[in-house]
Amino acid sequence: DVKVTQSSRYLVKRTGEKVFLECVQDMDHENMFWYRQDPGLGLRLIYFSYDVKMKEKGDIPEGYSVSREKKERFSLILESASTNQTSMYLCASSRPWEIPTNEKLFFGSGTQLSVL
Amino acid sequence: GQQLNQSPQSMFIQEGEDVSMNCTSSSIFNTWLWYKQDPGEGPVLLIALYKAGELTSNGRLTAQFGITRKDSFLNISASIPSDVGIYFCAGPSNTGNQFYFGTGTSLTVIP
């Protein structure tokens, strides 16, 4: 089974702090994604990466950056956390989508971030 | 990004009842996925559909890929308390490595 591991289940940070959310997958997947999930807004894509050192902006990249130095690890960085970044953050991975049966995401358990 | 229209938003049912939910899009999808999310956890893939008209089962769950390719349905038969959670539909974009998600159906099963 695919395992996507997010380093923290719960995080509490202060406004202005730099925050790192780490995600590791063990299935050699090329694609990795960061989403945030808010009540009533569903899942929104922040960034994704389809290869080491490659990254693409999603729908809501403002206030975030990412790092993909190794294939198995994808980090989300909040340079200066703000209260409106309080949310559930979900990491996901997948194989490349050249064949339809690869078109599925595997999610981590999520990190609930509170910014005070 | 595109949002899929999922309904109903929430359901409260008695244990043993059957459940139906659906997801619609203004665009055609080549793949439909259904996920379940338990409280405080990440979504878990339940069923993947790859062909229009396809009907696929996973235990008490059955999902269908609509003929128009713009909709999909999920049915749960004989619900049990552990079916509680939020169910999401999802479909990949045609242009790249992005998924679009429904807003979710929250299911409560009353014992």
Side-chain angles (χ1 to χ4, degrees):
Chain A
D1 277 354
V2 174
K3 195 159 183 193
V4 180
T5 303
Q6 294 183 231
S7 53
S8 306
R9 293 296 301 273
Y10 302 95
L11 271 181
V12 180
K13 297 291 180 181
R14 296 216 172 269
T15 303
E17 277 192 74
K18 190 168 185 175
V19 181
F20 293 86
L21 302 183
E22 305 286 349
C23 176
V24 176
Q25 49 94 5
D26 66 358
M27 283 300 289
D28 204 35
H29 283 172
E30 285 79 0
N31 299 338
M32 295 188 76
F33 306 78
W34 276 106
Y35 289 86
R36 65 176 281 177
Q37 183 178 27
D38 301 287
L41 297 177
L43 279 78
R44 293 180 292 167
L45 181 65
I46 305 171
Y47 269 96
F48 67 94
S49 168
Y50 52 88
D51 202 351
V52 175
K53 296 197 188 293
M54 306 300 286
K55 60 185 179 184
E56 294 282 343
K57 291 180 181 178
D59 298 318
I60 51 163
E62 297 78 20
Y64 302 94
S65 61
V66 290
S67 171
R68 184 116 184 253
E69 296 296 319
K70 292 185 178 180
K71 191 175 185 180
E72 67 271 17
R73 186 180 296 271
F74 192 34
S75 303
L76 180 69
I77 303 152
L78 287 67
E79 294 289 341
S80 177
S82 63
T83 54
N84 63 13
Q85 291 178 309
T86 291
S87 186
M88 167 75 114
Y89 290 88
L90 291 164
C91 175
S93 72
S94 78
R95 294 213 174 279
W97 296 1
E98 286 101 18
I99 58 173
T101 50
N102 280 354
E103 289 175 337
K104 47 195 171 191
L105 294 180
F106 296 91
F107 284 89
S109 297
T111 297
Q112 180 62 53
L113 173 67
S114 297
V115 182
L116 307 177
Chain B
Q2 181 178 343
Q3 195 85 277
L4 301 179
N5 298 312
Q6 192 172 343
S7 65
Q9 274 193 319
S10 60
M11 302 181 77
F12 293 81
I13 60 167
Q14 290 287 139
E15 183 176 357
E17 286 184 9
D18 296 343
V19 173
S20 290
M21 58 190 80
N22 69 75
C23 198
T24 60
S25 167
S26 56
S27 309
I28 287 172
F29 281 100
N30 294 318
T31 297
W32 281 97
L33 306 177
W34 284 94
Y35 286 87
K36 183 194 177 201
Q37 186 175 25
D38 290 328
E41 299 287 335
V44 173
L45 182 65
L46 298 173
I47 292 179
L49 302 159
Y50 299 108
K51 267 202 237 182
E54 179 183 356
L55 191 71
T56 297
S57 293
N58 178 5
R60 292 178 297 105
L61 278 62
T62 302
Q64 183 161 24
F65 193 138
I67 290 290
T68 66
R69 293 163 66 191
K70 292 184 178 181
D71 56 10
S72 180
F73 307 87
L74 176 70
N75 295 313
I76 305 172
S77 63
S79 58
I80 59 177
S82 62
D83 291 333
V84 164
I86 301 177
Y87 292 80
F88 290 99
C89 58
S93 73
N94 294 325
T95 55
N97 292 332
Q98 284 211 38
F99 265 93
Y100 300 118
F101 287 86
T103 48
T105 294
S106 174
L107 178 64
T108 301
V109 179
I110 303 162

